[in-house]
Amino acid sequence: MSQGLKGNYQVCEEIGRGRFGTVFRCFSPESGEFYALKSIDKTVLADSVDRECIEKEAKILQLLNGNPNVVQIIDVYEDENYLDIVMELCDSSDLYDRVSNRIFSDVEAAAVMSPLMEAIAHCHRRGVAHRDIKPDNILFDSRNRLKLADFGSAEFFHDGRSMRGIVGTPYYVAPEVLSGRDYNEKVDVWSAGVIMYIMLAGIPPFYGDSAAEIFESVLRGNLRFPTRNFYSVSPVAKDLLRKMLCKDVSKRFSAEQVLNHPWITSRGEARSLI
């Protein structure tokens, strides 16, 4: 860890590991608060691409600071060997834990989707695509406020620049990412739609027994609503799912359009579109 960090924070136990770094709980004697510290050992990075990725994450977090539903960056320290990013601590269970054992009602699911889409829309307004929206990266702080986290796969797309590269997680990745074509920020809307589907149905919309089978199912994009899983889900929720999990990117909703959909604006209480 960098010397500058050690002079200002007391590093405590390890609480997680990511692609490039280890996450610790740390304490600031000055503020009296605990934070999360992502410490990246630059000496073990494979190449300049990896180095660019970890530097980009810090820049992106600083750019996105200020939105209540995106994890906040507190401090950045860097020396020859380490990059240390101090962020707000989200020590409640993540969404993965919360969706593992239960099915959500429309109202409960909307209470998650509304702040999640606010976070995604904020990223898109700033020209950032997260590219790995999944329950594991949706955290909650001590006041149960949703926080979108882990921008290690995020990319800039402003000035009409499209993106390439297969990133993301099998169940949640958009079909255009897997196809190898250029894609835009709407990949995040697809991933959020998968999360919404899982919360309401208890199963993923596209699945298989291996990563290859899951990818095949995603590429087909054949969206279904099995009666046994969707008997209590409102028609308006299914309408929004069709618009988020639309294989035709030109017809897929943007994050802003999702926020303006009746299911979101009614907080999940609308039962029909009429």
Side-chain angles (χ1 to χ4, degrees), residues 194-252:
V194 174
I195 290 171
M196 178 178 162
Y197 188 107
I198 291 172
M199 285 193 291
L200 292 169
I203 58 171
F206 313 105
Y207 52 88
D209 293 328
S210 65
E213 287 185 11
I214 295 168
F215 290 154
E216 286 177 17
S217 179
V218 170
L219 283 165
R220 284 195 300 271
N222 187 9
L223 183 63
R224 293 176 176 155
F225 299 113
T227 304
R228 68 182 181 277
N229 301 100
F230 278 87
Y231 65 91
S232 64
V233 177
S234 69
V236 71
K238 287 186 271 192
D239 178 78
L240 179 55
L241 284 169
R242 288 187 192 97
K243 286 165 178 168
M244 296 178 74
L245 295 172
C246 178
K247 194 175 175 185
D248 184 339
V249 180
S250 67
K251 295 178 181 175
R252 187 183 307 159

Short mmCIF file of all heavy atoms in Angstrom, two decimals, residues 194-252:
data_model
loop_
_atom_site.label_atom_id
_atom_site.label_comp_id
_atom_site.label_asym_id
_atom_site.label_seq_id
_atom_site.Cartn_x
_atom_site.Cartn_y
_atom_site.Cartn_z
N VAL A 194 -32.36 -7.99 -16.98
CA VAL A 194 -32.17 -9.36 -16.50
C VAL A 194 -32.35 -9.40 -14.98
O VAL A 194 -33.00 -10.31 -14.44
CB VAL A 194 -30.78 -9.90 -16.90
CG1 VAL A 194 -30.53 -11.27 -16.27
CG2 VAL A 194 -30.66 -9.99 -18.42
N ILE A 195 -31.79 -8.43 -14.29
CA ILE A 195 -31.93 -8.36 -12.82
C ILE A 195 -33.40 -8.22 -12.43
O ILE A 195 -33.88 -8.90 -11.51
CB ILE A 195 -31.09 -7.20 -12.26
CG1 ILE A 195 -29.60 -7.51 -12.40
CG2 ILE A 195 -31.45 -6.92 -10.80
CD1 ILE A 195 -28.69 -6.35 -12.07
N MET A 196 -34.11 -7.35 -13.12
CA MET A 196 -35.54 -7.16 -12.83
C MET A 196 -36.31 -8.46 -13.04
O MET A 196 -37.15 -8.84 -12.22
CB MET A 196 -36.10 -6.04 -13.73
CG MET A 196 -37.58 -5.78 -13.54
SD MET A 196 -38.12 -4.41 -14.60
CE MET A 196 -39.92 -4.69 -14.62
N TYR A 197 -36.03 -9.15 -14.12
CA TYR A 197 -36.69 -10.44 -14.42
C TYR A 197 -36.43 -11.45 -13.30
O TYR A 197 -37.35 -12.12 -12.82
CB TYR A 197 -36.16 -10.95 -15.76
CG TYR A 197 -36.86 -12.17 -16.32
CD1 TYR A 197 -37.71 -12.05 -17.41
CD2 TYR A 197 -36.65 -13.45 -15.80
CE1 TYR A 197 -38.34 -13.17 -17.97
CE2 TYR A 197 -37.27 -14.57 -16.34
CZ TYR A 197 -38.12 -14.42 -17.43
OH TYR A 197 -38.74 -15.52 -17.97
N ILE A 198 -35.17 -11.55 -12.86
CA ILE A 198 -34.81 -12.51 -11.81
C ILE A 198 -35.52 -12.17 -10.51
O ILE A 198 -36.01 -13.06 -9.80
CB ILE A 198 -33.28 -12.56 -11.62
CG1 ILE A 198 -32.62 -13.20 -12.85
CG2 ILE A 198 -32.90 -13.30 -10.35
CD1 ILE A 198 -31.11 -13.13 -12.87
N MET A 199 -35.58 -10.90 -10.16
CA MET A 199 -36.25 -10.50 -8.92
C MET A 199 -37.72 -10.92 -8.93
O MET A 199 -38.27 -11.39 -7.93
CB MET A 199 -36.13 -8.99 -8.69
CG MET A 199 -34.77 -8.53 -8.23
SD MET A 199 -34.76 -6.83 -7.61
CE MET A 199 -35.04 -5.89 -9.11
N LEU A 200 -38.39 -10.72 -10.08
CA LEU A 200 -39.83 -10.98 -10.17
C LEU A 200 -40.16 -12.46 -10.37
O LEU A 200 -41.21 -12.93 -9.92
CB LEU A 200 -40.43 -10.17 -11.32
CG LEU A 200 -40.45 -8.65 -11.13
CD1 LEU A 200 -40.82 -7.96 -12.44
CD2 LEU A 200 -41.42 -8.25 -10.03
N ALA A 201 -39.29 -13.19 -11.07
CA ALA A 201 -39.59 -14.58 -11.43
C ALA A 201 -38.82 -15.62 -10.63
O ALA A 201 -39.24 -16.78 -10.55
CB ALA A 201 -39.32 -14.79 -12.92
N GLY A 202 -37.68 -15.24 -10.08
CA GLY A 202 -36.86 -16.20 -9.35
C GLY A 202 -35.97 -17.05 -10.24
O GLY A 202 -35.24 -17.92 -9.76
N ILE A 203 -36.03 -16.80 -11.56
CA ILE A 203 -35.18 -17.51 -12.52
C ILE A 203 -34.65 -16.50 -13.53
O ILE A 203 -35.28 -15.45 -13.74
CB ILE A 203 -35.95 -18.62 -13.28
CG1 ILE A 203 -37.17 -18.02 -14.02
CG2 ILE A 203 -36.37 -19.73 -12.33
CD1 ILE A 203 -37.86 -18.99 -14.97
N PRO A 204 -33.51 -16.78 -14.18
CA PRO A 204 -33.02 -15.87 -15.22
C PRO A 204 -33.80 -16.05 -16.51
O PRO A 204 -34.31 -17.14 -16.78
CB PRO A 204 -31.55 -16.27 -15.38
CG PRO A 204 -31.50 -17.69 -14.95
CD PRO A 204 -32.56 -17.87 -13.90
N PRO A 205 -33.89 -15.01 -17.33
CA PRO A 205 -34.62 -15.13 -18.59
C PRO A 205 -33.91 -15.99 -19.64
O PRO A 205 -34.55 -16.56 -20.52
CB PRO A 205 -34.74 -13.68 -19.07
CG PRO A 205 -33.59 -12.97 -18.44
CD PRO A 205 -33.38 -13.65 -17.12
N PHE A 206 -32.59 -16.05 -19.56
CA PHE A 206 -31.78 -16.81 -20.53
C PHE A 206 -30.80 -17.66 -19.74
O PHE A 206 -30.00 -17.13 -18.98
CB PHE A 206 -31.05 -15.86 -21.47
CG PHE A 206 -31.94 -14.77 -22.02
CD1 PHE A 206 -31.84 -13.47 -21.55
CD2 PHE A 206 -32.89 -15.06 -22.99
CE1 PHE A 206 -32.67 -12.48 -22.04
CE2 PHE A 206 -33.73 -14.07 -23.49
CZ PHE A 206 -33.62 -12.77 -23.01
N TYR A 207 -30.87 -18.97 -19.90
CA TYR A 207 -30.05 -19.82 -19.04
C TYR A 207 -29.61 -21.08 -19.77
O TYR A 207 -30.07 -21.38 -20.87
CB TYR A 207 -30.81 -20.20 -17.76
CG TYR A 207 -32.18 -20.78 -17.99
CD1 TYR A 207 -32.37 -22.15 -18.18
CD2 TYR A 207 -33.30 -19.96 -18.00
CE1 TYR A 207 -33.62 -22.68 -18.39
CE2 TYR A 207 -34.57 -20.48 -18.22
CZ TYR A 207 -34.73 -21.84 -18.41
OH TYR A 207 -35.98 -22.36 -18.63
N GLY A 208 -28.68 -21.79 -19.14
CA GLY A 208 -28.15 -23.03 -19.68
C GLY A 208 -27.30 -23.69 -18.63
O GLY A 208 -27.08 -23.13 -17.55
N ASP A 209 -26.79 -24.88 -18.93
CA ASP A 209 -25.99 -25.63 -17.97
C ASP A 209 -24.51 -25.28 -18.01
O ASP A 209 -23.73 -25.77 -17.18
CB ASP A 209 -26.16 -27.14 -18.20
CG ASP A 209 -27.58 -27.61 -17.90
OD1 ASP A 209 -28.21 -27.02 -17.00
OD2 ASP A 209 -28.05 -28.54 -18.58
N SER A 210 -24.11 -24.46 -18.97
CA SER A 210 -22.72 -24.03 -19.07
C SER A 210 -22.71 -22.60 -19.61
O SER A 210 -23.73 -22.10 -20.11
CB SER A 210 -21.94 -24.93 -20.03
OG SER A 210 -22.45 -24.80 -21.35
N ALA A 211 -21.55 -21.96 -19.51
CA ALA A 211 -21.44 -20.59 -20.03
C ALA A 211 -21.79 -20.56 -21.52
O ALA A 211 -22.48 -19.65 -21.98
CB ALA A 211 -20.03 -20.05 -19.79
N ALA A 212 -21.33 -21.58 -22.27
CA ALA A 212 -21.60 -21.61 -23.71
C ALA A 212 -23.10 -21.71 -23.99
O ALA A 212 -23.62 -21.03 -24.89
CB ALA A 212 -20.87 -22.80 -24.34
N GLU A 213 -23.81 -22.52 -23.21
CA GLU A 213 -25.26 -22.65 -23.39
C GLU A 213 -25.99 -21.37 -23.01
O GLU A 213 -26.96 -20.98 -23.66
CB GLU A 213 -25.79 -23.83 -22.57
CG GLU A 213 -25.42 -25.19 -23.14
CD GLU A 213 -26.06 -26.33 -22.38
OE1 GLU A 213 -26.95 -26.07 -21.53
OE2 GLU A 213 -25.67 -27.48 -22.61
N ILE A 214 -25.52 -20.73 -21.96
CA ILE A 214 -26.12 -19.44 -21.56
C ILE A 214 -25.93 -18.41 -22.67
O ILE A 214 -26.87 -17.71 -23.05
CB ILE A 214 -25.50 -18.93 -20.24
CG1 ILE A 214 -25.83 -19.86 -19.08
CG2 ILE A 214 -26.02 -17.51 -19.93
CD1 ILE A 214 -25.02 -19.59 -17.83
N PHE A 215 -24.73 -18.34 -23.22
CA PHE A 215 -24.45 -17.40 -24.30
C PHE A 215 -25.35 -17.66 -25.51
O PHE A 215 -25.86 -16.73 -26.13
CB PHE A 215 -22.98 -17.46 -24.72
CG PHE A 215 -22.02 -16.91 -23.69
CD1 PHE A 215 -20.70 -17.36 -23.64
CD2 PHE A 215 -22.43 -15.95 -22.78
CE1 PHE A 215 -19.82 -16.85 -22.70
CE2 PHE A 215 -21.55 -15.43 -21.83
CZ PHE A 215 -20.25 -15.89 -21.79
N GLU A 216 -25.55 -18.93 -25.84
CA GLU A 216 -26.43 -19.28 -26.96
C GLU A 216 -27.85 -18.79 -26.70
O GLU A 216 -28.52 -18.26 -27.59
CB GLU A 216 -26.43 -20.80 -27.18
CG GLU A 216 -25.16 -21.33 -27.83
CD GLU A 216 -25.18 -22.85 -27.96
OE1 GLU A 216 -26.28 -23.44 -27.85
OE2 GLU A 216 -24.09 -23.44 -28.15
N SER A 217 -28.31 -18.97 -25.47
CA SER A 217 -29.66 -18.55 -25.10
C SER A 217 -29.79 -17.03 -25.17
O SER A 217 -30.79 -16.49 -25.66
CB SER A 217 -29.99 -19.05 -23.69
OG SER A 217 -31.27 -18.65 -23.30
N VAL A 218 -28.76 -16.31 -24.69
CA VAL A 218 -28.76 -14.84 -24.75
C VAL A 218 -28.79 -14.37 -26.20
O VAL A 218 -29.55 -13.46 -26.56
CB VAL A 218 -27.53 -14.26 -24.01
CG1 VAL A 218 -27.39 -12.76 -24.27
CG2 VAL A 218 -27.62 -14.53 -22.51
N LEU A 219 -27.98 -15.00 -27.05
CA LEU A 219 -27.93 -14.60 -28.46
C LEU A 219 -29.26 -14.83 -29.17
O LEU A 219 -29.65 -14.05 -30.05
CB LEU A 219 -26.80 -15.36 -29.17
CG LEU A 219 -25.39 -14.84 -28.90
CD1 LEU A 219 -24.34 -15.84 -29.34
CD2 LEU A 219 -25.17 -13.50 -29.61
N ARG A 220 -29.97 -15.89 -28.78
CA ARG A 220 -31.31 -16.11 -29.36
C ARG A 220 -32.27 -15.03 -28.89
O ARG A 220 -33.13 -14.57 -29.65
CB ARG A 220 -31.84 -17.50 -28.98
CG ARG A 220 -31.20 -18.64 -29.76
CD ARG A 220 -32.00 -19.93 -29.61
NE ARG A 220 -32.08 -20.37 -28.22
CZ ARG A 220 -31.19 -21.17 -27.64
NH1 ARG A 220 -30.15 -21.62 -28.32
NH2 ARG A 220 -31.33 -21.54 -26.38
N GLY A 221 -32.14 -14.62 -27.64
CA GLY A 221 -32.95 -13.54 -27.09
C GLY A 221 -34.44 -13.82 -27.10
O GLY A 221 -35.26 -12.91 -27.25
N ASN A 222 -34.81 -15.08 -26.92
CA ASN A 222 -36.21 -15.47 -26.95
C ASN A 222 -36.82 -15.27 -25.55
O ASN A 222 -36.73 -16.14 -24.69
CB ASN A 222 -36.33 -16.94 -27.39
CG ASN A 222 -37.76 -17.36 -27.60
OD1 ASN A 222 -38.68 -16.53 -27.59
ND2 ASN A 222 -37.97 -18.66 -27.79
N LEU A 223 -37.44 -14.11 -25.34
CA LEU A 223 -37.96 -13.73 -24.03
C LEU A 223 -39.32 -14.38 -23.78
O LEU A 223 -40.24 -14.21 -24.58
CB LEU A 223 -38.07 -12.21 -23.94
CG LEU A 223 -38.53 -11.64 -22.59
CD1 LEU A 223 -37.52 -11.97 -21.49
CD2 LEU A 223 -38.74 -10.13 -22.70
N ARG A 224 -39.42 -15.10 -22.67
CA ARG A 224 -40.67 -15.76 -22.32
C ARG A 224 -41.05 -15.40 -20.88
O ARG A 224 -40.20 -15.07 -20.07
CB ARG A 224 -40.53 -17.28 -22.44
CG ARG A 224 -40.34 -17.76 -23.88
CD ARG A 224 -40.12 -19.26 -23.91
NE ARG A 224 -40.04 -19.76 -25.29
CZ ARG A 224 -39.42 -20.86 -25.64
NH1 ARG A 224 -38.81 -21.59 -24.74
NH2 ARG A 224 -39.40 -21.25 -26.90
N PHE A 225 -42.36 -15.54 -20.60
CA PHE A 225 -42.86 -15.29 -19.26
C PHE A 225 -43.65 -16.53 -18.80
O PHE A 225 -44.88 -16.56 -18.91
CB PHE A 225 -43.76 -14.05 -19.23
CG PHE A 225 -43.06 -12.79 -19.64
CD1 PHE A 225 -43.41 -12.14 -20.82
CD2 PHE A 225 -42.05 -12.24 -18.85
CE1 PHE A 225 -42.76 -10.97 -21.21
CE2 PHE A 225 -41.40 -11.07 -19.23
CZ PHE A 225 -41.75 -10.44 -20.41
N PRO A 226 -42.97 -17.56 -18.29
CA PRO A 226 -43.67 -18.78 -17.87
C PRO A 226 -44.75 -18.47 -16.83
O PRO A 226 -44.49 -17.76 -15.85
CB PRO A 226 -42.55 -19.63 -17.25
CG PRO A 226 -41.28 -19.08 -17.81
CD PRO A 226 -41.52 -17.63 -18.03
N THR A 227 -45.94 -19.02 -17.05
CA THR A 227 -47.08 -18.72 -16.17
C THR A 227 -46.79 -19.04 -14.72
O THR A 227 -47.14 -18.27 -13.82
CB THR A 227 -48.32 -19.49 -16.64
OG1 THR A 227 -48.57 -19.17 -18.01
CG2 THR A 227 -49.54 -19.13 -15.80
N ARG A 228 -46.11 -20.16 -14.47
CA ARG A 228 -45.86 -20.56 -13.07
C ARG A 228 -44.95 -19.57 -12.34
O ARG A 228 -44.97 -19.50 -11.12
CB ARG A 228 -45.26 -21.97 -13.03
CG ARG A 228 -43.86 -22.09 -13.59
CD ARG A 228 -43.36 -23.54 -13.56
NE ARG A 228 -42.01 -23.64 -14.08
CZ ARG A 228 -41.70 -23.72 -15.36
NH1 ARG A 228 -42.66 -23.68 -16.27
NH2 ARG A 228 -40.45 -23.84 -15.75
N ASN A 229 -44.14 -18.83 -13.09
CA ASN A 229 -43.24 -17.85 -12.47
C ASN A 229 -43.79 -16.43 -12.50
O ASN A 229 -43.37 -15.59 -11.70
CB ASN A 229 -41.88 -17.86 -13.18
CG ASN A 229 -41.19 -19.21 -13.15
OD1 ASN A 229 -41.24 -19.94 -14.12
ND2 ASN A 229 -40.59 -19.54 -12.02
N PHE A 230 -44.71 -16.17 -13.42
CA PHE A 230 -45.19 -14.80 -13.61
C PHE A 230 -46.68 -14.61 -13.30
O PHE A 230 -47.25 -13.58 -13.63
CB PHE A 230 -44.92 -14.35 -15.05
CG PHE A 230 -43.50 -13.88 -15.27
CD1 PHE A 230 -42.50 -14.79 -15.59
CD2 PHE A 230 -43.17 -12.54 -15.14
CE1 PHE A 230 -41.20 -14.35 -15.78
CE2 PHE A 230 -41.86 -12.10 -15.34
CZ PHE A 230 -40.87 -13.00 -15.65
N TYR A 231 -47.28 -15.57 -12.59
CA TYR A 231 -48.72 -15.48 -12.34
C TYR A 231 -49.10 -14.25 -11.52
O TYR A 231 -50.21 -13.73 -11.66
CB TYR A 231 -49.23 -16.75 -11.65
CG TYR A 231 -48.68 -16.98 -10.26
CD1 TYR A 231 -49.34 -16.49 -9.13
CD2 TYR A 231 -47.51 -17.71 -10.09
CE1 TYR A 231 -48.82 -16.70 -7.86
CE2 TYR A 231 -46.99 -17.92 -8.83
CZ TYR A 231 -47.65 -17.42 -7.72
OH TYR A 231 -47.14 -17.62 -6.46
N SER A 232 -48.20 -13.75 -10.67
CA SER A 232 -48.54 -12.58 -9.84
C SER A 232 -47.84 -11.30 -10.31
O SER A 232 -47.93 -10.26 -9.65
CB SER A 232 -48.17 -12.86 -8.38
OG SER A 232 -46.77 -13.03 -8.24
N VAL A 233 -47.14 -11.36 -11.45
CA VAL A 233 -46.42 -10.19 -11.96
C VAL A 233 -47.36 -9.38 -12.85
O VAL A 233 -48.07 -9.93 -13.69
CB VAL A 233 -45.16 -10.61 -12.75
CG1 VAL A 233 -44.47 -9.39 -13.35
CG2 VAL A 233 -44.21 -11.38 -11.84
N SER A 234 -47.35 -8.07 -12.70
CA SER A 234 -48.29 -7.21 -13.42
C SER A 234 -47.96 -7.14 -14.92
O SER A 234 -46.79 -7.27 -15.31
CB SER A 234 -48.25 -5.80 -12.85
OG SER A 234 -47.01 -5.18 -13.15
N PRO A 235 -48.98 -6.93 -15.76
CA PRO A 235 -48.73 -6.73 -17.19
C PRO A 235 -47.81 -5.55 -17.47
O PRO A 235 -47.03 -5.58 -18.42
CB PRO A 235 -50.14 -6.47 -17.75
CG PRO A 235 -51.06 -7.14 -16.79
CD PRO A 235 -50.42 -6.97 -15.44
N VAL A 236 -47.88 -4.50 -16.64
CA VAL A 236 -47.03 -3.32 -16.88
C VAL A 236 -45.56 -3.64 -16.61
O VAL A 236 -44.66 -3.12 -17.29
CB VAL A 236 -47.54 -2.11 -16.06
CG1 VAL A 236 -47.27 -2.27 -14.58
CG2 VAL A 236 -46.93 -0.81 -16.56
N ALA A 237 -45.29 -4.54 -15.66
CA ALA A 237 -43.91 -4.97 -15.41
C ALA A 237 -43.39 -5.76 -16.61
O ALA A 237 -42.24 -5.56 -17.05
CB ALA A 237 -43.83 -5.81 -14.14
N LYS A 238 -44.23 -6.64 -17.13
CA LYS A 238 -43.82 -7.42 -18.31
C LYS A 238 -43.60 -6.53 -19.52
O LYS A 238 -42.69 -6.77 -20.34
CB LYS A 238 -44.86 -8.51 -18.60
CG LYS A 238 -44.82 -9.65 -17.59
CD LYS A 238 -45.75 -10.78 -17.96
CE LYS A 238 -47.12 -10.58 -17.39
NZ LYS A 238 -47.97 -11.78 -17.50
N ASP A 239 -44.39 -5.47 -19.64
CA ASP A 239 -44.19 -4.52 -20.74
C ASP A 239 -42.81 -3.87 -20.64
O ASP A 239 -42.09 -3.74 -21.65
CB ASP A 239 -45.28 -3.45 -20.70
CG ASP A 239 -45.09 -2.39 -21.79
OD1 ASP A 239 -45.43 -2.67 -22.95
OD2 ASP A 239 -44.58 -1.29 -21.47
N LEU A 240 -42.44 -3.46 -19.44
CA LEU A 240 -41.11 -2.85 -19.27
C LEU A 240 -40.01 -3.86 -19.56
O LEU A 240 -39.01 -3.53 -20.21
CB LEU A 240 -40.96 -2.28 -17.86
CG LEU A 240 -39.61 -1.63 -17.55
CD1 LEU A 240 -39.26 -0.54 -18.55
CD2 LEU A 240 -39.59 -1.07 -16.12
N LEU A 241 -40.17 -5.09 -19.13
CA LEU A 241 -39.16 -6.12 -19.40
C LEU A 241 -38.97 -6.32 -20.90
O LEU A 241 -37.84 -6.46 -21.38
CB LEU A 241 -39.56 -7.44 -18.73
CG LEU A 241 -39.33 -7.52 -17.22
CD1 LEU A 241 -40.01 -8.75 -16.64
CD2 LEU A 241 -37.85 -7.51 -16.88
N ARG A 242 -40.07 -6.33 -21.65
CA ARG A 242 -39.95 -6.47 -23.11
C ARG A 242 -39.14 -5.32 -23.71
O ARG A 242 -38.40 -5.53 -24.69
CB ARG A 242 -41.34 -6.50 -23.75
CG ARG A 242 -42.13 -7.77 -23.50
CD ARG A 242 -43.42 -7.80 -24.31
NE ARG A 242 -44.29 -8.89 -23.85
CZ ARG A 242 -45.29 -8.72 -22.98
NH1 ARG A 242 -45.56 -7.51 -22.50
NH2 ARG A 242 -46.02 -9.75 -22.62
N LYS A 243 -39.28 -4.14 -23.15
CA LYS A 243 -38.60 -2.96 -23.71
C LYS A 243 -37.14 -2.87 -23.26
O LYS A 243 -36.32 -2.25 -23.94
CB LYS A 243 -39.38 -1.71 -23.34
CG LYS A 243 -40.66 -1.61 -24.16
CD LYS A 243 -41.66 -0.62 -23.63
CE LYS A 243 -42.86 -0.58 -24.60
NZ LYS A 243 -44.02 0.13 -24.03
N MET A 244 -36.81 -3.49 -22.13
CA MET A 244 -35.42 -3.52 -21.68
C MET A 244 -34.67 -4.70 -22.28
O MET A 244 -33.48 -4.60 -22.59
CB MET A 244 -35.36 -3.60 -20.15
CG MET A 244 -35.94 -2.37 -19.45
SD MET A 244 -35.92 -2.53 -17.64
CE MET A 244 -34.17 -2.29 -17.29
N LEU A 245 -35.36 -5.84 -22.43
CA LEU A 245 -34.73 -7.05 -22.96
C LEU A 245 -35.10 -7.22 -24.44
O LEU A 245 -35.45 -8.31 -24.89
CB LEU A 245 -35.16 -8.26 -22.14
CG LEU A 245 -34.68 -8.24 -20.68
CD1 LEU A 245 -35.31 -9.37 -19.88
CD2 LEU A 245 -33.16 -8.30 -20.60
N CYS A 246 -34.99 -6.13 -25.14
CA CYS A 246 -35.28 -6.11 -26.58
C CYS A 246 -33.97 -6.33 -27.34
O CYS A 246 -33.01 -5.56 -27.18
CB CYS A 246 -35.91 -4.78 -26.97
SG CYS A 246 -36.27 -4.64 -28.73
N LYS A 247 -33.93 -7.37 -28.15
CA LYS A 247 -32.69 -7.70 -28.86
C LYS A 247 -32.31 -6.61 -29.86
O LYS A 247 -31.12 -6.36 -30.10
CB LYS A 247 -32.87 -9.05 -29.56
CG LYS A 247 -31.57 -9.65 -30.05
CD LYS A 247 -31.80 -11.04 -30.63
CE LYS A 247 -30.51 -11.58 -31.23
NZ LYS A 247 -30.72 -12.87 -31.90
N ASP A 248 -33.31 -5.94 -30.45
CA ASP A 248 -33.08 -4.84 -31.38
C ASP A 248 -32.69 -3.61 -30.57
O ASP A 248 -33.53 -2.98 -29.93
CB ASP A 248 -34.34 -4.57 -32.20
CG ASP A 248 -34.14 -3.50 -33.27
OD1 ASP A 248 -33.20 -2.70 -33.16
OD2 ASP A 248 -34.95 -3.45 -34.22
N VAL A 249 -31.39 -3.26 -30.61
CA VAL A 249 -30.88 -2.17 -29.77
C VAL A 249 -31.56 -0.84 -30.10
O VAL A 249 -31.81 -0.02 -29.20
CB VAL A 249 -29.35 -2.04 -29.94
CG1 VAL A 249 -28.81 -0.90 -29.08
CG2 VAL A 249 -28.67 -3.35 -29.58
N SER A 250 -31.92 -0.63 -31.36
CA SER A 250 -32.55 0.63 -31.75
C SER A 250 -33.93 0.79 -31.10
O SER A 250 -34.41 1.91 -30.90
CB SER A 250 -32.69 0.73 -33.27
OG SER A 250 -33.61 -0.23 -33.76
N LYS A 251 -34.57 -0.33 -30.74
CA LYS A 251 -35.89 -0.29 -30.10
C LYS A 251 -35.81 -0.47 -28.59
O LYS A 251 -36.80 -0.25 -27.89
CB LYS A 251 -36.80 -1.38 -30.70
CG LYS A 251 -37.12 -1.15 -32.17
CD LYS A 251 -37.98 -2.29 -32.72
CE LYS A 251 -38.29 -2.06 -34.20
NZ LYS A 251 -39.04 -3.21 -34.79
N ARG A 252 -34.65 -0.91 -28.10
CA ARG A 252 -34.49 -1.09 -26.65
C ARG A 252 -34.55 0.27 -25.95
O ARG A 252 -34.02 1.26 -26.45
CB ARG A 252 -33.16 -1.77 -26.34
CG ARG A 252 -32.97 -2.14 -24.86
CD ARG A 252 -31.60 -2.74 -24.61
NE ARG A 252 -31.33 -3.85 -25.51
CZ ARG A 252 -30.11 -4.29 -25.80
NH1 ARG A 252 -29.04 -3.68 -25.29
NH2 ARG A 252 -29.94 -5.30 -26.64
#
